[in-house]
């Protein structure tokens, strides 16, 4: 461990401990650590402001990796709208209030977490950094922040969970489910998530059809077709049986022209597939796994009645991610799920979609305190989190910023990113004259009334 890494570890440990206790300012601790390090010539591992962080990540990432992480649907108007929506809200601070002791803690499904912050599920984190899933999960675990394991991860969920437990035993983790066209596979993934200590199942509803993403299309690049981001599948017994069935059938395989690019892609697919390299070359199983994944990834026929299938197979809380319409929020309440998450998938699915923050108040009103409302899409820092919380979100999920921090500085970068978000949230809370994050409501925003309480 270098001296810089040791300083960062000490800082994040202090913040993690202080986050759960009144009387300790996370923001002040973070600022002091950065300024003290600056005196002896040390700088943060990742840029603090999002625009500089994105530029730094772009310099580190390959062209295809940056396009996949940064890109959105169509002309990327939804991504722009998601971030611009925060600029239409203004915090109105109240003065001469005792905010010496501030509390960021929030309850999520019976667990008290240090701050109303989650790490959103991001697929193929290996594009940002080799071993990215485990590095990001360890960073979240170190701070006690829930990490959402993606179905499209590049490491099996069991390996991610073990890494989190090694960092902090029992660290909070959720599992994000892409609902496959194979019900047996859905049941297997959910059972595995429950077995490895996940505390909620987050069902992503808005990716039953892959969005139209010009940056990826221009490069002809889909990571899954190269065997990236499918480790949850290749480690699953039900999926492996589907692959064997495919290999035993007479399903015709389209002949691929032999080009240098095709050879490189095939070599990558074989290398990433679990098992012996020589066996993979002989059997053709790695290619069959990719083809099987592309066949079973999504179920466009999914409907409200299908949620009963999931409820019958897990005791875990169910979160519906991608709810933007108030009527869908009411339907979710009637369906008996445990939370909804307002999200545009970071603008990656529909061009010209309503901004997530603009949809948030309507969903909060429709739910009327009967379940928590979570939020993602457009959060770039702690002040954004304050605005979303004031509009009724119970917690916010961070997406692209932590992928960029991972690209720039690995696990340490994600720890610093989380530290920065929590610190800015804490400082903004105090400057607004609010002692507890759980007390945030519309009264801190210009022209807003308090959101309905639980």
């Amino acid at each position: 461990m270098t001296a810089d890494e040791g300083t960062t570890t000490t800082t994040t440990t202090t913040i993690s401990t202080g986050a759960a206790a009144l009387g300790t300012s996370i923001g002040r601790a973070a600022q002091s650590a950065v300024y003290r390090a600056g005196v002896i010539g040390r700088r943060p591992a990742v840029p603090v402001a999002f625009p500089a962080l994105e530029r730094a990540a772009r310099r580190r990432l390959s062209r295809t990796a940056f396009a996949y992480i940064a890109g959105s649907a169509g002309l990327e108007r939804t991504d722009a709208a998601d971030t611009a929506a925060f600029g239409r809200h203004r915090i109105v601070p109240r003065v001469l209030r005792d905010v010496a002791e501030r509390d960021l803690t929030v309850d999520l499904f019976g667990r008290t977490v240090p701050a109303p912050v989650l790490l959103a599920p991001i697929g193929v984190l290996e594009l940002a950094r080799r071993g990215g899933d485990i590095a990001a999960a360890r960073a979240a675990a170190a701070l006690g922040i829930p990490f959402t394991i993606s179905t499209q991860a590049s490491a099996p969920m069991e390996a991610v969970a073990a890494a989190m437990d090694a960092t902090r035993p029992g660290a909070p983790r959720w599992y994000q489910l892409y609902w496959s066209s194979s019900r047996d596979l859905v049941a297997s993934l959910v059972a595995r998530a429950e077995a490895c200590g996940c505390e909620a199942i987050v069902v992503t509803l808005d990716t039953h059809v892959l969005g139209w993403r010009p940056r990826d299309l221009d490069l002809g690049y889909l990571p899954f077709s190269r065997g990236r981001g499918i480790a949850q599948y290749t480690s699953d017994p039900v999926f492996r049986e589907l692959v064997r069935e495919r290999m035993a059938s007479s399903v015709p395989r389209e002949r691929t022209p032999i080009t240098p690019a095709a050879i490189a892609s095939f070599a990558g697919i074989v290398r990433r597939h679990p098992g012996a390299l020589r066996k993979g070359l002989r059997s053709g199983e790695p290619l069959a796994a990719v083809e099987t994944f592309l066949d079973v990834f999504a179920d466009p026929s999914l409907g409200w009645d299908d949620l009963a299938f999931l409820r019958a197979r897990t005791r875990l809380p169910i979160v519906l991610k991608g709810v933007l319409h108030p009527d869908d929020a009411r339907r979710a309440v009637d369906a008996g799920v445990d939370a909804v998450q307002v999200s545009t998938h970071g603008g990656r699915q529909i061009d010209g979609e309503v901004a997530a923050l603009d949809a948030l108040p309507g969903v909060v009103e429709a739910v009327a305190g009967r379940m928590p409302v979570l939020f993602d899409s457009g959060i770039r820092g702690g002040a954004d989190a304050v605005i979303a919380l004031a509009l009724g979100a119970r917690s916010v999920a961070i997406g692209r910023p932590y992928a960029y921090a991972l690209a720039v500085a690995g696990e340490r970068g994600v720890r610093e990113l989380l530290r920065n978000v929590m610190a800015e949230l804490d400082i903004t809370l105090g400057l607004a004259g609010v002692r507890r994050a759980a007390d945030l409501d519309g009264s801190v925003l210009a022209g807003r009334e308090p959101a309905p309480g639980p």
Side-chain angles (χ1 to χ4, degrees):
M1 178 182 289
T2 67
D4 283 353
E5 287 172 338
T7 299
T8 303
T9 301
T10 301
T11 300
T12 53
T13 301
T14 301
I15 291 171
S16 176
T17 302
L22 282 170
T24 302
S25 168
I26 301 169
R28 181 178 178 181
Q31 282 184 329
S32 296
V34 171
Y35 291 140
R36 284 197 306 270
V39 170
I40 58 175
R42 294 175 182 165
R43 300 291 182 267
V46 296
V48 175
F50 178 79
L53 175 62
E54 185 174 46
R55 290 193 297 270
R58 185 167 196 162
R59 291 193 294 269
R60 295 292 186 95
L61 293 166
S62 69
R63 188 181 179 196
T64 51
F66 184 77
Y68 184 79
I69 295 170
S72 293
L75 299 178
E76 304 192 348
R77 290 174 292 194
T78 302
D79 183 32
D82 278 338
T83 53
F86 287 91
R88 293 193 291 274
H89 296 274
R90 293 288 183 265
I91 297 169
V92 183
R94 301 297 301 275
V95 299
L96 295 177
R97 293 183 170 185
D98 180 1
V99 290
E101 295 184 342
R102 299 188 294 280
D103 181 11
L104 299 188
T105 60
V106 64
D107 179 78
L108 292 173
F109 307 128
R111 178 194 279 263
T112 299
V113 295
V117 175
L118 319 166
L119 285 191
I122 296 181
V124 209
L125 280 174
E126 66 173 291
L127 292 177
R129 171 86 47 158
R130 181 178 295 179
D133 298 284
I134 287 175
R138 282 198 302 245
L143 295 175
I145 296 299
F147 179 77
T148 313
I149 302 171
S150 174
T151 298
Q152 303 311 135
S154 298
M157 66 182 84
E158 292 82 2
V160 176
M164 295 185 75
D165 284 334
T167 302
R168 179 191 292 260
R173 71 211 64 155
W174 298 0
Y175 179 69
Q176 174 243 13
L177 174 69
Y178 281 118
W179 197 298
S180 169
S181 59
S182 166
R183 292 301 177 89
D184 289 342
L185 179 57
V186 169
S188 181
L189 291 169
V190 169
R192 289 171 60 199
E194 194 163 338
C196 68
C198 291
E199 298 175 2
I201 302 294
V202 182
V203 185
T204 295
L205 302 175
D206 54 16
T207 316
H208 49 283
V209 175
L210 191 66
W212 185 256
R213 302 173 187 172
R215 295 201 207 195
D216 297 332
L217 291 163
D218 283 342
L219 297 172
Y221 185 78
L222 181 68
F224 317 119
S225 66
R226 316 294 179 94
R228 293 182 181 269
I230 62 171
Q232 305 300 11
Y233 299 84
T234 57
S235 60
D236 191 274
V238 171
F239 181 80
R240 291 198 299 266
E241 180 59 31
L242 292 173
V243 173
R244 286 191 289 268
E245 290 173 2
R246 183 186 187 92
M247 293 173 66
S249 72
S250 57
V251 176
R253 177 178 295 170
E254 183 179 346
R255 293 183 62 85
T256 301
I258 299 176
T259 66
I263 294 171
S265 296
F266 175 70
I269 290 170
V270 172
R271 187 174 62 252
R272 294 181 196 99
H273 191 78
L277 178 62
R278 186 174 296 178
K279 179 182 176 182
L281 287 170
R282 288 199 307 265
S283 69
E285 182 179 308
L287 278 179
V290 169
E291 292 166 348
T292 303
F293 163 77
L294 294 172
D295 282 347
V296 305
F297 162 66
D299 183 2
S301 71
L302 193 67
W304 287 99
D305 291 343
D306 295 311
L307 293 176
F309 174 88
L310 181 59
R311 176 53 76 201
R313 283 158 180 80
T314 183
R315 298 166 295 172
L316 297 178
I318 296 172
V319 181
L320 299 186
K321 181 177 182 291
V323 173
L324 295 166
H325 197 288
D327 287 348
D328 287 339
R330 295 184 188 95
R331 191 84 182 261
V333 172
D334 294 340
V337 300
D338 301 276
V340 294
Q341 187 159 330
V342 175
S343 169
T344 67
H345 209 96
R348 292 167 64 77
Q349 284 300 97
I350 299 177
D351 190 25
E353 192 173 14
V354 60
L357 194 71
D358 291 340
L360 177 59
V363 171
V364 170
E365 182 179 5
V367 167
R370 291 173 288 179
M371 64 171 60
V373 176
L374 311 177
F375 177 87
D376 72 72
S377 300
I379 297 286
R380 298 294 181 256
D384 289 344
V386 167
I387 291 170
L389 295 168
L391 290 174
R394 174 75 62 85
S395 186
V396 302
I398 310 296
R400 285 186 181 94
Y402 92 81
Y404 291 151
L406 181 66
V408 173
E411 179 182 341
R412 176 183 173 185
V414 179
R415 288 200 311 267
E416 284 200 6
L417 184 279
L418 282 169
R419 176 201 68 182
N420 295 343
V421 171
M422 293 164 65
E424 186 185 8
L425 197 165
D426 173 64
I427 288 170
T428 305
L429 194 73
L431 290 172
V434 181
R435 292 176 56 138
R436 299 174 65 246
D439 292 337
L440 281 166
D441 59 30
S443 64
V444 306
L445 301 178
R448 297 290 308 185
E449 294 298 322

